[in-house]
């Protein structure tokens, strides 16, 4: 058997498709789509699907989702991820197009991970009555009940409120 093959376009994605983000925050990454084939590839549609597909969004640099890539041409895309909950949040980006008069679907797996941030102080009630001019001290243990390193600050002010406040924020460890 012998014959001549039909040239076709082929899309390849270069860039990160995995990201870890604190729940409710958004992080965007930009990747590049390249036609590594021999003829034009015309993309007509993009769809993000899967259980967590709604937590992702796309922005095509220079407009889209309809565009044509000549051989070796590139198109940049920004993919944003905003996790709604903790843990793995996978989705699939499907690009539908035409090359050599044939419909083609290209799928790209997206692997986001939602990170939880929290700090729990023990004890929660710290001071009883402290007389004017007297001093009292307590040890507070803050348990990091989340997934990321935190910088925790505590404050107490009898002039503004008789309560204790703890604030946790994602931090970078001191090296």
């Amino acid at each position: 058997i012998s014959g001549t093959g039909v040239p076709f376009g082929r899309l390849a994605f270069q860039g990160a498709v995995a990201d870890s983000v604190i729940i409710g925050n958004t992080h965007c990454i930009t990747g590049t789509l390249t036609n590594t084939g021999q003829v034009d590839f015309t993309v007509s549609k993009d769809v993000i699907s899967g259980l967590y597909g709604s937590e992702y969004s796309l922005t095509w640099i220079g407009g889209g989702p309809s565009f044509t890539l000549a051989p070796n041409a590139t198109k940049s895309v920004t993919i944003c991820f905003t996790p709604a909950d903790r843990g793995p949040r996978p989705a699939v980006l499907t690009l539908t197009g035409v090359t050599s008069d044939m419909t083609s679907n290209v799928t790209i797996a997206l692997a986001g991970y939602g990170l939880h941030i929290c700090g729990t102080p023990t004890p929660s009630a710290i001071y009883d009555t402290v007389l004017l001019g007297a001093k009292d001290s307590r040890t507070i243990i803050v348990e990091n009940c989340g997934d990321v390193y935190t910088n925790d600050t505590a404050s107490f002010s009898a002039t503004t409120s008789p309560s204790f406040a703890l604030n946790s924020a994602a931090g970078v460890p001191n090296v």
Side-chain angles (χ1 to χ4, degrees), residues 5-120:
V6 175
F8 59 93
R10 180 183 306 197
L11 297 182
F13 183 79
Q14 296 171 318
V17 291
D19 202 4
S20 295
V21 180
I22 294 172
I23 296 168
N25 290 353
T26 299
H27 189 256
C28 300
I29 53 178
T30 299
T32 303
L33 196 61
T34 304
N35 180 354
T36 61
Q38 301 164 320
V39 298
D40 290 356
F41 194 115
T42 300
V43 175
S44 58
K45 182 179 177 183
D46 62 31
V47 175
I48 298 177
S49 60
L51 185 59
Y52 307 108
S54 63
E55 297 178 11
Y56 295 84
S57 63
L58 291 180
T59 302
W60 293 101
I61 310 301
S66 296
F67 55 89
T68 298
L69 288 178
N72 298 314
T74 62
K75 179 83 168 170
S76 294
V77 59
T78 299
I79 303 170
C80 296
F81 173 54
T82 308
D85 205 353
R86 185 181 206 172
R89 318 296 284 175
V92 175
L93 168 60
T94 303
L95 304 175
T96 301
V98 174
T99 181
S100 296
D101 295 324
M102 295 175 49
T103 300
S104 180
N105 289 316
V106 176
T107 59
I108 300 166
L110 305 175
Y113 194 93
L115 299 173
H116 181 63
I117 182 171
C118 74
T120 304

Side-chain angles (χ1 to χ4, degrees), residues 9 15 31 38 49 55 72 92 97 113-114 122 124 130 140 145 154 159 165 167 171:
Q38 301 164 320
S49 60
E55 297 178 11
N72 298 314
V92 175
Y113 194 93
T122 303
S124 57
V130 178
I140 302 167
C145 52
T159 57
N167 297 313

